[in-house]
């Protein structure tokens, strides 16, 4: 499969972790990257690192949970740069939402970023991409969205939404010239996973995971999940009947 070259790309959640690594990966390959996140200082450090490597990253201070502002911001960037070739909805929040001690404010924050923020990011310039008959939308879901994991009602649910959202877009956009990719990472060493005190098997470094994602995107894969060991385990979990899955999850909790 031939690899695609992108002149321009916008990546959210780029101030750390997967977004930071992915923005740097594309910048080193000649893509003009608009790196969006709330932490401007981190984005400026990313831009400096990219510049030292001969690439171009332009910081974009933005909170995807403010969906109207996000839509307007992306549309302006799209118009100013002559059209975004690639949009990656990577920004995400993971907070404990244990059903026994459920806190709506935590769930609300997760859903505002992972559902509404991701949908706004992916929708902002979709009509323009269809009109141009080119473009690539990428949603960063999670293997945690394959089933409802303990203490993760909001997070698992939000990632399940994103994967189904991307699938419907993929079906609708077939033949338009606009491509759709949904990525399902397993455990990656990021700010989000740092507070977790429990074992996280087959964990990858953020740079390694970003490279895997970047290669899948340029190959035009419609679906990409990694690492294979965690994907296989989640595949088994998907096949388990609830009578087996529920007590197993209670033990893992």
């Amino acid at each position: 499969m031939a690899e695609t070259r992108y002149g321009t790309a916008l990546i959210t959640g780029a101030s750390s972790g997967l977004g930071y690594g992915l923005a740097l990966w594309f910048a080193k390959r000649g893509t003009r990257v608009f790196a969006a996140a709330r932490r401007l200082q981190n984005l400026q450090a990313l831009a400096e690192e990219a510049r030292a490597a001969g690439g171009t990253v332009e910081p974009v201070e933005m909170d995807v949970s403010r969906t109207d502002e996000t839509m307007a911001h992306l549309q302006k960037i799209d118009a100013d740069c002559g059209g975004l070739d690639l949009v990656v909805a990577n920004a995400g929040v993971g907070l404990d939402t244990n059903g026994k001690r459920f806190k709506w404010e935590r769930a609300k924050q997760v859903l505002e970023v992972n559902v509404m923020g991701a949908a706004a990011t992916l929708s902002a310039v979709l009509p323009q991409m269809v009109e141009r008959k080119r473009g690539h939308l990428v949603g960063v879901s999670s293997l945690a969205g394959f089933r409802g994991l303990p203490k993760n009602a909001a997070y698992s649910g939000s990632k399940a939404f994103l994967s189904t959202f991307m699938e419907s877009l993929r079906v609708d956009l077939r033949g338009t010239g606009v491509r759709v990719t949904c990525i399902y990472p397993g455990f990656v060493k990021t700010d989000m996973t740092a507070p977790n005190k429990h074992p996280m098997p087959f964990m990858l470094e953020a740079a390694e995971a970003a490279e895997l994602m970047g290669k899948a995107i340029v190959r035009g894969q419609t679906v990409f999940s990694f690492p294979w060991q965690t994907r296989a385990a989640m595949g088994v979990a998907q096949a388990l009947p609830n009578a087996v899955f529920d007590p197993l999850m209670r033990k893992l909790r």
Side-chain angles (χ1 to χ4, degrees):
M1 187 180 296
E3 293 188 357
T4 301
R5 294 284 181 178
Y6 302 93
T8 55
L10 182 135
I11 301 171
T12 64
S15 60
S16 65
L18 289 175
Y20 189 106
L22 197 59
L24 192 59
W25 191 87
F26 274 105
K28 288 179 178 179
R29 283 152 184 80
T31 302
R32 179 187 178 190
V33 178
F34 296 91
R38 292 176 301 167
R39 294 178 290 182
L40 182 58
Q41 187 173 357
N42 291 32
L43 296 177
Q44 290 169 337
L46 168 62
E48 287 296 326
E49 188 173 353
R51 189 177 298 113
T56 301
V57 166
E58 299 186 26
V60 178
E61 189 174 12
M62 188 174 76
D63 181 348
V64 298
S65 68
R66 298 177 179 176
T67 52
D68 290 342
E69 293 178 18
T70 295
M71 296 277 288
H73 213 147
L74 265 66
Q75 288 162 2
K76 184 177 187 308
I77 291 172
D78 186 74
D80 290 347
C81 76
L84 287 165
D85 297 320
L86 172 67
V87 173
V88 182
N90 167 75
V93 174
L95 298 174
D96 185 321
T97 49
N98 189 333
K100 291 182 178 179
R101 297 180 295 277
F102 197 83
K103 295 182 179 179
W104 168 241
E105 285 305 315
R106 282 174 167 260
K108 183 172 180 281
Q109 185 178 347
V110 171
L111 298 176
E112 284 178 342
V113 175
N114 297 9
V115 174
M116 297 300 291
T121 299
L122 295 162
S123 304
V125 299
L126 176 53
Q128 292 88 329
M129 286 184 170
V130 171
E131 185 177 347
R132 292 191 292 259
K133 298 182 180 180
R134 63 177 175 84
H136 195 166
L137 298 176
V138 177
V140 181
S141 183
S142 170
L143 291 175
F146 283 17
R147 292 209 69 160
L149 300 183
K151 303 180 182 179
N152 278 278
Y155 185 74
S156 287
S158 71
K159 293 305 184 178
F161 162 83
L162 183 56
S163 62
T164 304
F165 185 75
M166 298 303 291
E167 185 168 53
S168 289
L169 288 182
R170 188 184 75 236
V171 171
D172 288 342
L173 294 170
R174 187 176 181 86
T176 65
V178 181
R179 297 191 296 174
V180 175
T181 297
C182 191
I183 297 177
Y184 300 87
F187 294 118
V188 178
K189 191 176 291 186
T190 64
D191 291 349
M192 187 185 298
T193 58
N196 197 327
K197 304 302 181 185
H198 302 290
M200 290 177 280
F202 310 111
M203 176 175 278
L204 298 176
E205 294 290 336
E208 180 184 3
E211 182 173 7
L212 291 173
M213 291 166 58
K215 289 180 177 178
I217 291 168
V218 300
R219 287 195 302 266
Q221 289 186 229
T222 56
V223 174
F224 178 64
S225 53
F226 69 95
W228 70 265
Q229 298 96 328
T230 310
R231 172 62 182 92
M234 290 306 297
V236 171
Q238 282 183 299
L240 292 176
N242 293 344
V244 176
F245 178 79
D246 292 5
L248 176 61
M249 290 300 104
R250 280 196 292 271
K251 288 181 180 179
L252 292 177
R253 184 181 60 195

